[in-house]
Amino acid sequence: MELDARGIGMLALGAIALIQTARLVFRATARRWALIRRVRRARRGELEAESLLAAEGFRIVDRQVRARVQYVVDGTAREAEVVADLLVERRGRRFVAEVKTGERAPDPLARPTRRQLLEYAHAFDGAGVLLVDAEAGVVRTIEVPGRRPAATPWPWLALGVAVGWAVATLLS
């Protein structure tokens, strides 16, 4: 069978269509596998972070902790939800912990990380913020100027008990 110019053109178009289809399938598959690798790396990082935090005296209170943040947009109240990786506690003080893996993400001054930490400091009012570099084995305490850490309730509780005892003694 001989191919004329039209047959060669059709064959070329078919080859181009086949190559383009294979390229698109490969691209979609590569993206999916990259996402799977990132998710696995992040999950491994969270497990390593839990061990690291436990070794530093933190107790895991909860995972994937949600908080609501309120904004006023053009005079209209709006809400958004933020999710922190871990809620931990040490010596009666609570912290939200953000776990990062990779080269740039664990840097507290990297723009996306910095914004996330600021949002957590606002959303989880009163809780401290920790940045955990799971791969390097480093836990950093993040303090935002102008934000005070939550005071421990024990002095106020002790004062309340003392005043209550004094009032009860005087009235009896």
Side-chain angles (χ1 to χ4, degrees), residues 60-107:
I60 307 298
V61 175
D62 204 356
R63 292 166 185 81
Q64 301 301 308
V65 185
R66 300 175 186 283
R68 306 286 304 165
V69 181
Q70 294 185 351
Y71 298 91
V72 177
V73 180
D74 296 328
T76 303
R78 306 284 302 271
E79 277 193 358
E81 184 176 70
V82 296
V83 182
D85 291 324
L86 298 166
L87 180 64
V88 298
E89 188 175 72
R90 181 171 69 178
R91 291 186 221 119
R93 183 150 181 241
R94 288 205 170 185
F95 297 84
V96 289
E98 179 60 22
V99 179
K100 294 294 184 188
T101 56
E103 293 177 25
R104 185 84 175 117
D107 179 1

Side-chain angles (χ1 to χ4, degrees), residues 5-135:
R6 183 174 176 200
I8 292 172
M10 294 299 284
L11 190 59
L13 282 176
I16 290 170
L18 183 63
I19 290 169
Q20 178 65 4
T21 301
R23 189 179 72 81
L24 292 173
V25 168
F26 176 76
R27 182 188 293 176
T29 303
R31 282 189 195 136
R32 191 169 325 136
W33 281 108
L35 177 62
I36 289 169
R37 280 192 304 275
R38 278 195 308 272
V39 168
R40 286 181 180 163
R41 184 179 194 180
R43 184 64 192 133
R44 252 190 336 268
E46 288 180 16
L47 292 173
E48 290 170 13
E50 287 186 22
S51 296
L52 180 63
L53 288 164
E56 293 203 16
F58 290 96
R59 182 178 64 86
I60 307 298
V61 175
D62 204 356
R63 292 166 185 81
Q64 301 301 308
V65 185
R66 300 175 186 283
R68 306 286 304 165
V69 181
Q70 294 185 351
Y71 298 91
V72 177
V73 180
D74 296 328
T76 303
R78 306 284 302 271
E79 277 193 358
E81 184 176 70
V82 296
V83 182
D85 291 324
L86 298 166
L87 180 64
V88 298
E89 188 175 72
R90 181 171 69 178
R91 291 186 221 119
R93 183 150 181 241
R94 288 205 170 185
F95 297 84
V96 289
E98 179 60 22
V99 179
K100 294 294 184 188
T101 56
E103 293 177 25
R104 185 84 175 117
D107 179 1
L109 299 181
R111 182 176 291 170
T113 302
R114 183 181 70 227
R115 289 179 178 172
Q116 195 173 22
L117 296 172
L118 286 169
E119 190 172 51
Y120 289 168
H122 177 73
F124 296 93
D125 192 29
V129 179
L130 302 175
L131 177 60
V132 183
D133 182 343
E135 294 171 335

